[in-house]
Amino acid sequence: MSRASNDALRGIDAGTPLIGPQTLHLDVTNGCNTNCITCWDHSPLLTLARSPAWKRQRVELLDMFELVDDVRSLGGLRAVIVSGMGEPFTHPEIYDLLAGLKSRGLHVTVITNLIPADAERILALDVDQLLIGVHGASEASYRAFHPNFVHDEWARLHAMLARFHAAGRRYKQVQVICQANVHELADMVALAHRYDAANLNFKLASLAQGTEAARITDAQRARLRSEWLPAARAAARDLGVDANLDVFATQVDAGGAATAPIADIGCFMGYVYARVLVDGTVLYCCNTEVRVGSLRELPFSELWRAPAWQALRERMRRGDYLDSCNQCGKLNQNVKLGRSFAAAYGEARLAEVTGRAR
């Protein structure tokens, strides 16, 4: 275990961080090239659409570097995730940003649908990881998930996946599951195998504001448990694909609108992670409801140890979760951190720091 990881676990045990976040999640643009049906910002199913002015918002390059260097001053920063409420590769200076992050010795991940990206520039910059949102295993489901993709996007996606595979780059694939694609789990495993994905991450769609119309039906959930999930497990085993199907199964079993049994897992994001939105809003986790401040008010390094952030850490430590925590977007990470903490401090202590020892 690295020193930063050990310090993070010590901070969880103490109830206050000893170092800054290990991972900084940067939103760089609100604009997007597509309209995923499950998206809370661009879906055509939304009851209230985002304004054109909001969609035009994006960060300035120098502001991002100033922020990253401030976070580094806290110690512990190892990785930066670049994403947005939109598609990061639509930002006109995205490759300069990635180059600047790499020059600082940081592990760089980009969350992307890949379509507007330049595969050769990604390879030239040696981007460490891509989380490629695929969301389908056939052209029909891919187009159903991205209604405005009506041209050569499916072929372009495959061409770039093939280019990365030929270059020996094992990037990750993400499959958000909803009505349109739930029947394709095993085929999604086969797609990950075809391009030698480093990992296949399944997520049950978190839905609100009208996107609930895309939720899997009760009949689909039943077939998911009895047929599609077992078939995907078998495919992953036979093809040697690393997929988070055990975690995904807990999402399925949560039932209804819930996608994460957070009370059984615990939340540790306040010690290892932070997200900053395009407008400077600083979030406790990836959940846009859990705001801890703004860079317009204080520098990140001061917000990190300020009362608002610490109060949220203490709230999560008591197991007093928000309703939206039942759709946790950091489920995989929380599961891994919980296991690491239990290995270091024991299951009884894990229960204490997650509010379950009562």
Side-chain angles (χ1 to χ4, degrees), residues 52-333:
W54 181 89
K55 291 182 179 182
R56 287 193 295 268
Q57 291 180 356
R58 61 179 183 237
V59 300
E60 297 294 331
L61 197 62
L62 293 180
D63 290 342
M64 283 296 93
F65 291 146
E66 182 180 343
L67 167 61
V68 169
D69 291 340
D70 183 41
V71 177
R72 290 174 72 200
S73 73
L74 292 167
L77 184 65
R78 298 187 300 176
V80 173
I81 299 172
V82 178
S83 73
M85 300 292 194
E87 165 55 50
F89 282 108
T90 65
H91 193 293
E93 295 181 298
I94 184 63
Y95 298 103
D96 293 331
L97 173 61
L98 298 179
L101 295 174
K102 289 288 294 182
S103 73
R104 286 163 168 78
L106 295 166
H107 184 283
V108 178
T109 296
V110 186
I111 301 176
T112 175
N113 62 54
L114 207 56
I115 298 306
D118 183 327
E120 298 306 324
R121 295 185 76 175
I122 291 170
L123 292 171
L125 285 169
D126 194 27
V127 173
D128 298 280
Q129 189 55 263
L130 299 179
L131 296 184
I132 302 168
V134 181
H135 317 314
S138 67
E139 187 167 5
S141 65
Y142 184 73
R143 291 188 184 279
F145 197 97
H146 311 85
N148 73 328
F149 279 178
V150 296
H151 300 293
D152 65 344
E153 294 89 359
W154 183 241
R156 178 170 171 75
L157 173 69
H158 278 270
M160 284 193 281
L161 292 175
R163 177 68 184 96
F164 294 143
H165 185 214
R169 297 310 304 260
R170 302 187 67 231
Y171 293 134
K172 297 182 179 181
Q173 293 182 17
V174 178
Q175 297 281 4
V176 172
I177 302 303
C178 65
Q179 276 189 44
N181 58 18
V182 64
H183 58 291
E184 294 187 336
L185 259 66
D187 292 333
M188 291 170 177
V189 173
L191 180 65
H193 175 260
R194 177 177 176 180
Y195 295 111
D196 196 25
N199 174 270
L200 174 57
N201 188 8
F202 288 102
K203 293 183 178 181
L204 195 60
S206 299
L207 302 167
Q209 306 172 41
T211 62
E212 296 94 338
R215 181 174 296 142
I216 62 173
T217 66
D218 290 343
Q220 286 177 323
R221 192 184 296 269
R223 289 192 69 182
L224 188 53
R225 287 176 171 139
S226 66
E227 180 183 346
W228 297 327
L229 188 50
R233 290 184 192 275
R237 181 185 63 247
D238 294 344
L239 295 174
V241 172
D242 180 10
N244 69 330
L245 288 164
D246 287 344
V247 174
F248 178 68
T250 67
Q251 292 187 300
V252 175
D253 290 340
T259 60
I262 193 66
D264 297 330
I265 295 166
C267 175
F268 312 100
M269 290 299 101
Y271 303 88
V272 299
Y273 170 95
R275 181 179 180 183
V276 181
L277 303 185
V278 170
D279 65 0
T281 297
V282 181
L283 303 178
Y284 182 85
C285 58
C286 63
N287 184 347
T288 55
E289 291 186 13
V290 195
R291 181 184 183 276
V292 293
S294 170
L295 298 180
R296 297 177 181 178
E297 302 163 357
L298 289 172
F300 184 99
S301 54
E302 294 184 36
L303 288 170
W304 181 247
R305 302 192 188 282
W309 216 317
Q310 186 58 28
L312 278 166
R313 294 184 187 105
E314 292 169 2
R315 177 174 179 173
M316 300 302 168
R317 193 178 183 85
R318 296 193 301 269
D320 181 15
Y321 302 107
L322 288 73
D323 289 344
S324 54
C325 293
N326 289 313
Q327 295 193 20
C328 177
K330 289 295 176 185
L331 183 65
N332 282 333
Q333 293 88 337

